[in-house]
Amino acid sequence: MSVLLLLISALVLVYLGLGGTVATVVLVAATLAGMSQDHWHILSILFGGGLLALALVILHARDLRRDKLSKPLLGWVRGQLPTLSDTEQEALKSGSVDWDGELFSGQPQWSKLLDARPAHLSSEEQAFLDGPVEKLCAMLDDWKITHEDYDLPNKVWKFIRENGFFGLMIPKEQGGKGFSHTAHSEIVMKVSTRSVSAAVTVMVPNSLGPGELLMEYGTDEQKSHYLPRLASGEEIPCFALTSPVAGSDAGAIPDKGIVCKGQWNGKEVLGLKVTWNKRYITLAPVATLIGLAIKVYDPDKLLGGDEQVGVTCVMVPRETEGVHAGARHLPMNTVFMNGPTWGNDVFIPMEQVIGGQEMLGKGWTMLLECLSIGRSISLPALGTGAGKLAALATGSYSLVREQFGRSISQFEGVQEALEPIAGYTYMMDASRLLTSGMLDRGVRPAVPSAVLKYRNTDLMREVINRAMDVVAGRGVITGPRNFLARAYQAVPIGITVEGANILTRSLMVFGQGAIRCHPFIVEEIEAAGMKDERQAVRKFDDIFYRHIAHTTRNALRAFVLGLTRGLAEPVPREGNIQKYYRQLARFSSAFALLTDVTLLTIGGGLKARQRLSGRMADCLVHLYYASAVIKQWHEEGYPDDQRPLVEWALQTSLRDLQASMREAVINFPVQALRWPLRLLVFPLGATGLNGPDDRLGAEVAATIVKDTPVRQRISRGCYVNDKPDDPLGRVINAYRLANETRELRARLHEALHNRDPEELGGIDMLLGHQRKELVDWALEQGVIKEEESEKLLEALTAQYDVIRVDAFDNEGLKALARCAKGKRKVVERPPRDEQPDDQA
C-alpha cells in the first residue's frame, strides 16, 4: 500500500501541477499512511521508503540529482533529440509563438484566445477598401486580361501605382499607406474575387518584396532611397528565391555571390560578383528592382573571416549590366507577371546588400521572419476570396436554377455540395482573421503561417470543386460569362507556391512546431549542444524534470478527459459551446502527449517519418481552425444566426481531428507503443465524433441560399455588382429578381402544374423563347395582375440568362487565337554561356 499510495499521490500532484513543499508533505504522508496500512511490514518500508527517497532526491537534492541522474540522462537524451541543420536552427530562432504554443502545451488557456486583441480595420483602411479598392475592382475585366491582353491594362497599372497599392505596408513617413496586416489581407482578398492576376500583382510587393525586408533590416540610406520609390510605384520589386534545382529547399540554393572589388558608378568599391538562375518569380518580367537570396563566399578573405559567409539578401537594379529578365511563365494561364531571371558575374556594391555589409550571412533569418508575414496574408487571403466568391455565386445560382419545376437548392444532393462551400469559407475567414490579428499585435507566427497557407489553399480547392459540381456545365464552358473558371484554374498555384503543400504539411508544420512551440525542447537542445559540460548538465537539470512532469500530466489529462468526454475540464460558458471546448482541450492534451512520445522515440528520424508528421500536422490544423471559429464568433458577439455555421465547423474539425489522431496512433512507427497510446488517447474508443448530421448540413447549405444577414456575413469582402453584363453581376441580378418574384413564380408554377403540358408546349417555356407568351397567358388566366407582369418577365429573362453559356463561331475562335499567337513569340535568347539551365 505504501508504494500504491505514493504513486497515486504523485500522479495527482503531477496532474494538478503541484510541487515543492506541498508535494513533499503529501508524498511523505501518503507513504507513511501506506506503511501503516501494511502494519509496517518490512517490504512496505523498503519499497515505499526507497521510492520516497528517490522522489525526495529529485525534488530537493539538487547536487546529487545532477551528478547521479541528470548527467547520464543528458548523454542519453543527446542521442534521442533531433539533429538540426543550420537552416533549421536559424528557423527556430526566427518568428514567435502565440496561440499555437497553447495548443502544443496540452492545456490551452482559452482566456488568452478570447481576450487577445482581434483583427481590426481603422476608418482610413475601411475608406480605402470602399474607395480605391472598389474602383480598381470595377476596372478589371478578367476575361479580357486573360484572353486578349495577357496583362493588366495600362490604366490599371497606372491606377495601382497612383493610389498606393504597392506601398500598403510602407510607413506614411516614407510615402506609404502604413496600413495594418489585416487591411493588407482584406485588400488582397477583395481584389482576388475580381481578378487573381490583379490580386497577385498587388500582394507581392507588400509581402516578400524587398520592401518588407528593407523596412525590417534596411539601412537608413536604403530606406530613405528605396521605400518612397517602391511606395509610389516608381520602382517595381520582385524577390527571387526559388532555383530550378533547389525547389522548396531554400537552404540548397546554388546561386552565389563572391566577395571582390569592382567598378560601380566610376569608382572601385568592395562588393559581390553575383551569379543566379531563378524561376517562378512573380513580377520579374517588369521588376525594376530584383531582390535575390544567394550564398556569399569570400575566397580571398577580403572580409577577414570565414570563406563561407552564408545566405544573404541583396538588391540588383534591373538596368545593371548582365541582368536578364523579361521572359514570362503563364501559371495555369493566369497572366500575372511571372518569369525567370538570371545573371552571370553581375557586380553589385556592398550597399546593395539589404541591411548593408553587416547583414552578410544573415539572409536566412531575414527571410524566415518576413516569410512568416507574407505566408500569413497573401495566399490565405486569396483562398478565402475564392471561397467567398464561390459561396456568393453558387448559392445564388442554386436558388435561380430550376429543374423539374423546383429550385435545385432544394435538392439534397445539391445541399450536400453547398454545405462545405459555406462551412469551409466561414472557417477560412475565421483563421485568416485570427492570424492577421496576431500579426497586428507584433507576433511573427511562423507555425500558424504554414498552417494557414497549407489549409486555406487546400480548402480553396475543396470549395471550388464543390462549386463546380453545383454549377456543372455552366462552369466548364470557357467565356466571359464564366464566374468560376479563373478561380478553378488558379487552385494549383496556391497549392504549389510559397512552399508546396505536400512539404508544408509533411515537414514544416509539425516538424518545426513540435520543437518551436514545445515549452522545453528548445532549451534541452541548447543544453545538449553546450560545450561546457558542467553548464550543460546544470541547464539540462533545470528543464528535464519539468519536461517529464509535463508529459506525465498530459498523459493523465488525455486519459481522464477521454474517459469523461472532457467533463473534468473547466471551460468558458460564453456561447453555450462547452462540449466543444472540452473536446478540444482533451485532444490538445493528447496532441501534446503524442508530440512528446514522438520526439522521445523517433527524435532525429522524424524527417523520414513524413506520414506521421503529416497526420500530426493535420491534428494541429484542426485544433487551430476550431479555435479560430470560436474566436471569430466571440468577437462578433455570439450572433445566433451564425450558430449553425459555428457548430458545423466545430463538429467537422473534431471529426477530422479524431480521424487524424487515430491514424497517427494506429500507425505509430514504434509498434509496441500503439496499444498504450490507444488506451491513453482513446480509452473509450475513437467514437462519438461523427461530424455534422444531415439536419445541420441542410441549415448550413441554406446560409448561402437564403437572403439573410448570415449570407452577407459569409460573403463579406467579396466585390459585388449586379450589372446584368457582368459574370457575377448577372447571377446576383437574377438572384435578386428571383427573391422579389418568389410568390409570383410560385403561383405560375402551380398554375402550370394543373394544366395540360401540351397546352403550353411544356414547362420548359419558363426558360425558353416563349417567356413573353407565358407571361401573357398567366395574365389572361388571372394568375398574375397587369402590374406584376413586367417584373415577372424581367425575372424569367434574367433566370434564362444565367444558364446561358458562351459560344464562339469560327471567326471568334480565330480572333482569340490571333491574340494568343501574338503573345507567344519566342523570346530572343542570350548567348549559350549566359542562359540558365532551364532556358537553354
Side-chain angles (χ1 to χ4, degrees):
M1 287 298 293
S2 61
V3 173
L4 180 61
L5 289 179
L6 173 64
L7 291 176
I8 292 174
S9 300
L11 291 175
V12 171
L13 289 167
V14 169
Y15 188 92
L16 297 175
L18 298 175
T21 303
V22 173
T24 301
V25 171
V26 170
L27 292 176
V28 170
T31 306
L32 292 175
M35 291 177 181
S36 176
Q37 289 288 318
D38 293 330
H39 305 289
W40 306 100
H41 193 281
I42 185 63
L43 291 178
S44 179
I45 294 173
L46 287 175
F47 285 105
L51 284 176
L52 177 62
L54 179 62
L56 293 177
V57 166
I58 292 174
L59 285 171
H60 297 291
R62 182 170 298 181
D63 291 336
L64 181 63
R65 182 184 68 209
R66 286 173 179 167
D67 187 53
K68 300 301 181 182
L69 288 176
S70 300
K71 189 173 182 179
L73 279 171
L74 176 59
W76 175 77
V77 166
R78 278 179 172 141
Q80 297 301 118
L81 288 173
T83 57
L84 303 177
S85 66
D86 290 341
T87 54
E88 288 171 325
Q89 290 182 37
E90 290 293 333
L92 290 178
K93 296 175 184 176
S94 65
S96 46
V97 176
D98 195 80
W99 181 245
D100 47 324
E102 288 293 316
L103 295 175
F104 268 97
S105 75
Q107 195 169 359
Q109 301 299 308
W110 298 107
S111 60
K112 291 185 179 180
L113 175 72
L114 300 181
D115 295 342
R117 191 175 77 241
H120 173 72
L121 292 176
S122 68
S123 57
E124 181 185 3
E125 291 166 344
Q126 187 62 57
F128 189 81
L129 278 161
D130 296 338
V133 177
E134 280 281 317
K135 291 179 182 177
L136 174 60
C137 290
M139 296 169 70
L140 299 170
D141 183 335
D142 195 65
W143 170 261
K144 188 176 180 181
I145 290 169
T146 305
H147 292 85
E148 296 178 16
D149 295 336
Y150 285 81
D151 189 8
L152 301 179
N154 288 335
K155 66 177 182 179
V156 171
W157 278 104
K158 185 172 184 289
F159 185 86
I160 287 173
R161 284 190 177 101
E162 292 180 349
N163 286 274
F165 280 87
F166 286 156
L168 299 176
M169 307 304 297
I170 294 174
K172 290 182 178 181
E173 56 268 25
Q174 288 158 330
K177 296 291 183 184
F179 282 171
S180 66
H181 296 287
T182 298
H184 179 196
S185 177
E186 292 284 342
I187 291 165
V188 169
M189 183 181 70
K190 189 164 196 171
V191 176
S192 74
T193 65
R194 188 64 171 169
S195 167
V196 171
S197 296
V200 173
T201 301
V202 168
M203 76 190 190
V204 167
N206 291 290
S207 54
L208 191 61
E212 182 75 31
L213 293 165
L214 284 169
M215 286 190 292
E216 292 290 328
Y217 303 103
T219 64
D220 291 341
E221 292 79 7
Q222 289 172 342
K223 291 178 181 179
S224 62
H225 177 75
Y226 280 115
L227 290 181
R229 296 163 65 89
L230 289 168
S232 67
E234 183 179 351
E235 297 274 11
I236 296 179
C238 71
F239 194 87
L241 180 61
T242 306
S243 298
V245 295
S248 295
D249 185 3
I253 54 176
D255 314 284
K256 62 184 179 180
I258 306 298
V259 178
C260 63
K261 291 185 178 181
Q263 294 293 316
W264 187 262
N265 294 332
K267 297 180 180 179
E268 185 179 69
V269 296
L270 185 66
L272 301 171
K273 190 178 289 184
V274 184
T275 297
W276 74 94
N277 171 20
K278 307 284 192 177
R279 68 179 177 192
Y280 310 145
I281 310 306
T282 300
L283 294 186
V286 295
T288 62
L289 184 65
I290 301 171
L292 293 174
I294 59 173
K295 285 184 175 178
V296 171
Y297 302 89
D298 184 16
D300 298 327
K301 303 295 181 67
L302 296 177
L303 300 176
D306 295 335
E307 181 176 339
Q308 295 189 17
V309 179
V311 176
T312 300
C313 297
V314 302
M315 300 175 291
V316 182
R318 173 66 178 86
E319 69 272 12
T320 306
E321 184 179 356
V323 176
H324 297 283
R328 290 180 61 185
H329 305 311
L330 289 178
M332 295 303 293
N333 205 38
T334 303
V335 298
F336 58 86
M337 287 291 171
N338 186 282
T341 175
W342 67 96
N344 186 40
D345 289 341
V346 176
F347 181 79
I348 59 171
M350 285 296 178
E351 66 190 49
Q352 295 303 120
V353 174
I354 296 178
Q357 184 173 325
E358 66 181 45
M359 296 303 289
L360 287 169
K362 299 179 181 178
W364 188 234
T365 299
M366 295 162 61
L367 287 171
L368 287 169
E369 289 282 353
C370 293
L371 275 170
S372 70
I373 299 172
R375 192 184 278 128
S376 299
I377 296 173
S378 300
L379 292 173
L382 195 147
T384 308
K388 288 177 179 285
L389 173 66
L392 182 63
T394 311
S396 301
Y397 180 85
S398 66
L399 177 80
V400 173
R401 183 73 169 100
E402 293 186 347
Q403 290 273 263
F404 314 114
R406 299 170 61 200
S407 165
I408 65 171
S409 64
Q410 299 174 23
F411 298 169
E412 287 193 359
V414 173
Q415 292 173 0
E416 195 172 9
L418 294 174
E419 174 187 338
I421 295 175
Y424 284 145
T425 298
Y426 188 80
M427 292 171 71
M428 283 193 282
D429 200 31
S431 301
R432 177 185 67 88
L433 292 171
L434 173 62
T435 313
S436 71
M438 288 182 190
L439 287 166
D440 289 338
R441 297 196 306 271
V443 177
R444 294 294 178 263
V447 174
S449 71
V451 167
L452 197 65
K453 184 274 172 184
Y454 156 56
R455 185 59 172 169
N456 265 27
T457 55
D458 199 51
L459 290 181
M460 174 186 177
R461 171 165 52 188
E462 175 73 16
V463 165
I464 294 298
N465 282 339
R466 294 284 191 165
M468 277 291 188
D469 289 344
V470 175
V471 178
R474 175 67 173 79
V476 300
I477 303 301
T478 295
R481 288 174 167 267
N482 196 315
F483 51 80
L484 277 182
R486 189 63 51 244
Y488 185 81
Q489 278 192 300
V491 164
I493 300 172
I495 298 294
T496 302
V497 302
E498 290 189 16
N501 275 13
I502 287 177
L503 294 181
T504 301
R505 172 182 179 265
S506 61
L507 288 176
M508 290 180 61
V509 173
F510 183 69
Q512 288 189 23
I515 298 174
R516 178 195 294 273
C517 299
H518 197 284
F520 304 109
I521 285 290
V522 172
E523 291 183 87
E524 287 173 342
I525 291 175
E526 290 175 354
M530 294 175 71
K531 294 181 180 179
D532 186 322
E533 187 69 9
R534 185 175 179 181
Q535 291 298 321
V537 171
R538 183 182 295 274
K539 184 176 180 66
F540 177 76
D541 180 82
D542 289 341
I543 302 162
F544 182 72
Y545 301 100
R546 288 188 289 145
H547 186 173
I548 294 298
H550 167 81
T551 304
T552 305
R553 182 164 55 252
N554 279 321
L556 292 170
R557 279 175 53 80
F559 182 72
V560 171
L561 296 179
L563 278 177
T564 63
R565 302 292 188 190
L567 290 175
E569 182 75 0
V571 295
R573 301 184 63 84
E574 296 93 337
N576 192 26
I577 52 172
Q578 292 95 322
K579 61 181 180 180
Y580 300 116
Y581 276 120
R582 290 178 179 128
Q583 290 287 2
L584 291 170
R586 166 202 170 188
F587 280 114
S588 175
S589 293
F591 178 71
L593 169 65
L594 281 173
T595 297
D596 271 328
V597 172
T598 298
L599 293 174
L600 179 66
T601 59
I602 298 173
L606 182 60
K607 294 177 189 175
R609 300 290 186 177
Q610 294 176 20
R611 289 178 184 265
L612 172 62
S613 184
R615 288 166 181 143
M616 292 296 286
D618 289 339
C619 292
L620 180 60
V621 162
H622 302 314
L623 284 167
Y624 189 81
Y625 274 63
S627 303
V629 167
I630 291 173
K631 173 67 171 173
Q632 176 171 267
W633 201 36
H634 170 76
E635 294 303 332
E636 297 192 10
Y638 302 104
D640 200 54
D641 59 356
Q642 291 182 28
R643 179 175 287 278
L645 283 163
V646 171
E647 297 226 2
W648 186 93
L650 295 176
Q651 290 179 27
T652 299
S653 294
L654 286 169
R655 177 198 64 200
D656 296 342
L657 173 56
Q658 176 179 258
S660 297
M661 195 164 287
R662 178 178 178 275
E663 288 296 313
V665 169
I666 66 175
N667 291 286
F668 197 77
V670 183
Q671 293 191 26
L673 293 176
R674 291 177 183 175
W675 275 106
L677 287 173
R678 289 181 75 171
L679 177 64
L680 289 171
V681 176
F682 299 110
L684 299 179
T687 59
L689 299 174
N690 301 317
D693 59 19
D694 291 346
R695 178 198 58 78
L696 181 57
E699 286 185 55
V700 170
T703 61
I704 57 173
V705 176
K706 296 180 180 179
D707 189 14
T708 63
V710 71
R711 169 182 151 96
Q712 296 169 16
R713 171 62 190 84
I714 293 172
S715 62
R716 186 177 70 193
C718 184
Y719 174 76
V720 179
N721 73 48
D722 59 357
K723 295 179 180 177
D725 61 345
D726 181 81
L728 177 61
R730 62 171 41 94
V731 183
I732 301 300
N733 179 58
Y735 176 83
R736 176 180 58 80
L737 290 169
N739 279 308
E740 291 175 356
T741 61
R742 184 186 305 275
E743 195 270 334
L744 292 179
R745 291 182 299 107
R747 295 195 326 241
L748 180 61
H749 276 298
E750 184 178 0
L752 289 170
H753 181 74
N754 294 327
R755 301 293 298 223
D756 183 355
E758 297 297 327
E759 179 180 345
L760 296 172
I763 295 178
D764 286 344
M765 288 182 65
L766 273 171
L767 296 177
H769 295 294
Q770 299 86 15
R771 292 182 299 279
K772 180 67 167 62
E773 290 85 345
L774 180 61
V775 172
D776 290 342
W777 173 84
L779 191 59
E780 289 177 8
Q781 299 297 314
V783 177
I784 63 172
K785 300 175 182 178
E786 178 69 36
E787 60 269 22
E788 297 172 326
S789 60
E790 184 176 344
K791 193 72 170 180
L792 179 59
L793 180 60
E794 184 183 8
L796 295 179
T797 301
Q799 188 177 13
Y800 178 66
D801 186 56
V802 162
I803 68 169
R804 292 177 60 197
V805 296
D806 298 289
F808 301 89
D809 58 19
N810 284 337
E811 287 303 314
L813 290 174
K814 288 177 181 178
L816 285 176
R818 284 194 296 272
C819 289
K821 184 177 181 181
K823 302 297 180 183
R824 288 202 299 265
K825 294 178 181 178
V826 176
V827 176
E828 184 176 350
R829 294 176 176 174
R832 181 80 183 183
D833 62 352
E834 294 186 16
Q835 293 181 47
D837 295 338
D838 62 341
Q839 295 291 311

